[in-house]
């Protein structure tokens, strides 16, 4: 029977329940298809701490070596550590992880050499087609091909050294830092990256455990930050950091236990990256990051470029413009000096360097980058996405004090506020983000738009 991969192969990765939606035999086919589509003679593979990861990796490696590719296994790693290995070794890579999803899930994030993304339009569709074709009778024998080899390599120390070479931390004042790894891969990478720095590290949930016994490894959900916020206050810490399951995203909590907007972090890091580059360079930001981001970029001599939501769009714009940095509202941070790939760890090091380079608290430092009031993303379930979008557009169409654009959904902008309303690609949802110059205006606009969406 031919496998149906429509629910497994997403726009940017492979992700589903093991073994219900996929298993080791399918993983082996994905390994063979990945090598065939990329025409790779060698690849690198890493994985997170999920119980199903080692078996899936071994199967993927069998498929890859059967197609003649030599495989380098780097073992347990964060997703950005896999991107480092792909960049430094100049090899296509496969990272086995389901990021922040529950324990029963697993997935694969694929990239070409130099950490260039493999997504729906850059090879993933072809990989899916081959796996579906082969799923009934198996991959055809690769005649005349010598099977590849499998070797192991540890890249953690080199990964840490690369990151630390991009941020000056040796001269900072001592800081107390609470890190919540959520039993994910931050518990693997943080001790090595932070070793020898003037940081008093307070670890929280560093034990690698893919069953996530303490809370979901998804810091985007406020309930998963509660333990970190309480520990920052209890310890009198200077800062708290929370990583997601595969440790490619990092969220920041200030000394008061309050979350710091990823837009403020984007602006802060943008200012630092522009300073590193002589006050010149392009910075990419998606259209629902704060007004603060392009303002700070311009103030520091840079050129902001606005793009759609989604890492494939950010990475494409990074490459097209030769951008030095890019940031998203979801706490993904992209760096030219990290092969245009995203790394929350490098963003965290920038925040630590900025905080430790001055005497004030983190809340005061980020104030200059957090200038407006945002709603955060609000989801509404609707029967007809297009109908509700049209209704909202019609409600504001007669006003001469607003302008519209449709780069990604509908964005309506006025002098003192903006909002974006866009449809989910996978669920019957509309996603609303609102920002204004003050809280009262933001709340009034938020409620006005939601009333239209949910009518």
């Amino acid at each position: 029977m031919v496998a149906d991969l429509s629910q497994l192969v997403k726009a940017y990765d492979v992700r589903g329940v093991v073994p219900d939606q996929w298993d080791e035999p399918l993983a082996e086919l994905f390994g063979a298809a990945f090598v065939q589509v990329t025409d790779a003679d060698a690849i690198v593979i890493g994985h997170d701490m999920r119980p199903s990861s080692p078996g899936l990796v071994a199967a993927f490696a069998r498929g890859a070596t059967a197609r003649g590719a030599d495989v380098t296994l780097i073992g347990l790693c964060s997703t950005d550590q896999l991107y480092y290995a792909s960049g430094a070794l100049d090899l296509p890579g496969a990272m086995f992880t389901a990021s922040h999803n529950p324990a029963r899930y697993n997935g694969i994030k694929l990239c070409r050499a130099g950490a260039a993304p493999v997504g729906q339009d850059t090879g993933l569709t072809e990989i899916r087609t081959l796996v579906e074709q082969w799923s009934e009778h198996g991959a055809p024998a690769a005649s005349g091909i010598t099977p590849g080899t499998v070797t192991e390599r540890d890249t953690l120390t080199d990964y840490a050294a690369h990151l630390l070479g991009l941020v000056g931390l040796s001269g900072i004042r001592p800081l107390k830092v609470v890190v919540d790894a959520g039993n994910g891969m931050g518990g693997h990478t943080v001790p090595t990256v932070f070793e020898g720095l003037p940081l008093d590290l307070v670890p929280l949930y560093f034990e690698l455990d893919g069953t996530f016994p303490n809370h979901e490894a998804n810091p985007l959900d406020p309930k998963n930050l509660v333990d970190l916020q309480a520990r920052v206050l209890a310890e009198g810490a200077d800062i708290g950091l929370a990583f997601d399951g595969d440790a490619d995203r990092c969220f920041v909590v200030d000394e008061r236990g309050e979350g710091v907007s990823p837009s403020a972090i984007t602006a802060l890091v943008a200012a630092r990256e522009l300073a590193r580059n002589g006050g010149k360079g392009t910075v990419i930001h998606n259209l629902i990051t704060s007004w603060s981001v392009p303002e700070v970029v311009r103030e520091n001599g840079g050129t902001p470029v606005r793009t759609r939501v989604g890492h494939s769009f950010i990475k494409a714009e990074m490459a097209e413009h030769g951008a030095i940095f890019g940031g998203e509202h979801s706490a993904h941070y992209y760096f030219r000096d990290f092969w245009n790939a995203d790394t929350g760890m490098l963003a965290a090091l920038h925040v630590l360097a900025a905080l430790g380079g001055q005497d004030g608290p983190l809340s005061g430092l980020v104030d200059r980058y957090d200038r407006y009031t945002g709603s955060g993303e609000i989801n509404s379930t609707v029967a007809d996405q297009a109908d509700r979008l049209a209704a909202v557009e019609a409600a504001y169409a007669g006003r001469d004090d607003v302008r519209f654009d449709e780069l990604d959904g509908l964005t309506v902008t006025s002098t003192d506020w903006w909002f974006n309303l866009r449809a989910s690609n996978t669920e019957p949802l509309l996603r609303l983000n609102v920002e204004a110059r003050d809280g009262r205006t933001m709340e009034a606009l938020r409620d006005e738009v939601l009333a239209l969406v949910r009518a």
Side-chain angles (χ1 to χ4, degrees):
M1 180 178 176
V2 176
D4 178 10
L5 305 186
S6 60
Q7 300 303 308
L8 180 64
V9 179
K10 312 296 185 181
Y12 314 121
D13 61 9
V14 176
R15 197 173 304 192
V17 177
V18 178
D20 300 19
Q21 292 179 293
W22 72 303
D23 53 16
E24 292 178 17
L26 267 183
E28 185 169 345
L29 296 181
F30 273 107
F34 180 56
V35 169
Q36 181 152 320
V37 169
T38 59
D39 197 27
D41 55 16
I43 65 171
V44 59
I45 309 174
H47 65 85
D48 69 10
M49 65 292 139
R50 292 167 187 270
S52 60
S53 289
L56 293 171
V57 165
F60 188 95
R62 284 195 300 274
T65 54
R67 278 289 185 276
D70 294 331
V71 171
T72 298
L73 300 176
I74 64 171
L76 285 164
C77 65
S78 61
T79 290
D80 64 325
Q81 187 184 335
L82 184 278
Y83 291 152
Y84 164 78
S86 173
L89 302 176
D90 197 30
L91 294 177
M95 174 67 189
F96 280 75
T97 181
S99 185
H100 61 276
N101 286 123
R104 65 186 186 278
Y105 285 79
N106 213 324
I108 324 172
K109 295 181 178 180
L110 299 168
C111 61
R112 295 180 187 268
V118 171
Q120 204 168 52
D121 301 324
T122 50
L124 194 53
T125 298
E126 291 88 339
I127 291 169
R128 169 186 166 177
T129 298
L130 283 177
V131 173
E132 286 178 335
Q133 289 173 356
W134 295 342
S135 62
E136 187 170 15
H137 301 296
S143 59
I145 293 178
T146 302
T149 61
V150 177
T151 58
E152 296 181 0
R153 180 169 182 154
D154 183 4
T155 61
L156 180 57
T157 302
D158 292 341
Y159 155 82
H162 179 78
L163 295 180
L164 292 168
L166 300 174
V167 183
L169 285 154
S170 59
I172 66 169
R173 63 185 170 93
L175 299 171
K176 178 175 275 195
V177 183
V178 181
V179 177
D180 184 345
N183 298 109
M185 293 313 303
H188 174 72
T189 56
V190 167
T192 298
V193 176
F194 283 15
E195 186 177 6
L197 299 176
L199 304 174
D200 179 4
L201 173 62
V202 180
L204 195 59
Y205 311 140
F206 271 38
E207 305 78 20
L208 300 183
D209 189 338
T211 68
F212 306 111
N214 294 290
H215 61 69
E216 290 181 355
N218 179 18
L220 193 58
D221 188 335
K223 73 174 184 289
N224 297 319
L225 291 176
V226 170
D227 291 353
L228 174 63
Q229 292 167 316
R231 192 66 178 269
V232 165
L233 292 174
E235 295 281 348
D238 297 290
I239 185 174
L241 304 173
F243 291 91
D244 66 346
D246 60 337
D248 62 348
R249 288 187 297 156
C250 182
F251 290 74
V252 180
V253 169
D254 70 19
E255 81 286 350
R256 304 168 302 179
E258 297 185 10
V260 179
S261 159
S263 286
I265 300 300
T266 296
L268 183 155
V269 177
R272 290 179 52 83
E273 283 291 290
L274 285 164
R276 281 185 70 235
N277 287 274
K280 295 179 181 179
T282 298
V283 173
I284 310 297
H285 65 97
N286 72 29
L287 79 172
I288 55 176
T289 52
S290 170
W291 268 339
S292 300
V293 173
E295 287 179 2
V296 169
V297 170
R298 292 188 185 99
E299 289 165 6
N300 286 272
T303 302
V305 172
R306 179 172 174 264
T307 188
R308 295 178 62 184
V309 175
H311 78 265
S312 64
F313 303 112
I314 292 275
K315 288 178 178 177
E317 295 285 354
M318 291 279 292
E320 180 179 341
H321 294 276
I324 60 174
F325 175 64
E328 292 197 89
H329 70 295
S330 54
H332 281 288
Y333 306 105
Y334 307 79
F335 295 82
R336 180 193 63 197
D337 294 336
F338 200 76
W339 299 277
N340 290 336
D342 45 322
T343 165
M345 184 68 78
L346 184 50
L349 293 177
H350 270 290
V351 176
L352 292 170
L355 176 59
Q358 49 93 65
D359 294 328
L362 181 59
S363 58
L365 174 64
V366 299
D367 270 351
R368 73 188 74 165
Y369 304 111
D370 198 7
R371 303 171 178 180
Y372 304 98
T373 302
S375 65
E377 192 153 275
I378 304 167
N379 292 323
S380 300
T381 301
V382 297
D384 188 332
Q385 295 168 323
D387 175 73
R388 290 298 86 204
L389 275 165
V392 172
E393 184 171 9
Y396 291 89
R399 297 175 52 162
D400 57 9
D401 62 334
V402 301
R403 65 181 187 274
F404 298 84
D405 79 62
E406 297 181 354
L407 174 64
D408 192 350
L410 172 68
T411 302
V412 182
T413 305
S414 185
T415 304
D416 296 318
W417 53 259
W418 62 266
F419 72 83
N420 173 267
L421 188 66
R422 70 192 202 286
S424 166
N425 291 321
T426 57
E427 300 173 273
L429 299 176
L430 286 178
R431 307 187 190 279
L432 174 67
N433 284 268
V434 180
E435 185 175 71
R437 296 188 185 277
D438 62 82
R440 182 176 297 179
T441 302
M442 185 279 292
E443 291 170 4
L445 179 62
R446 176 199 64 199
D447 295 345
E448 182 176 280
V449 178
L450 284 175
L452 292 166
V453 170
R454 296 172 178 177

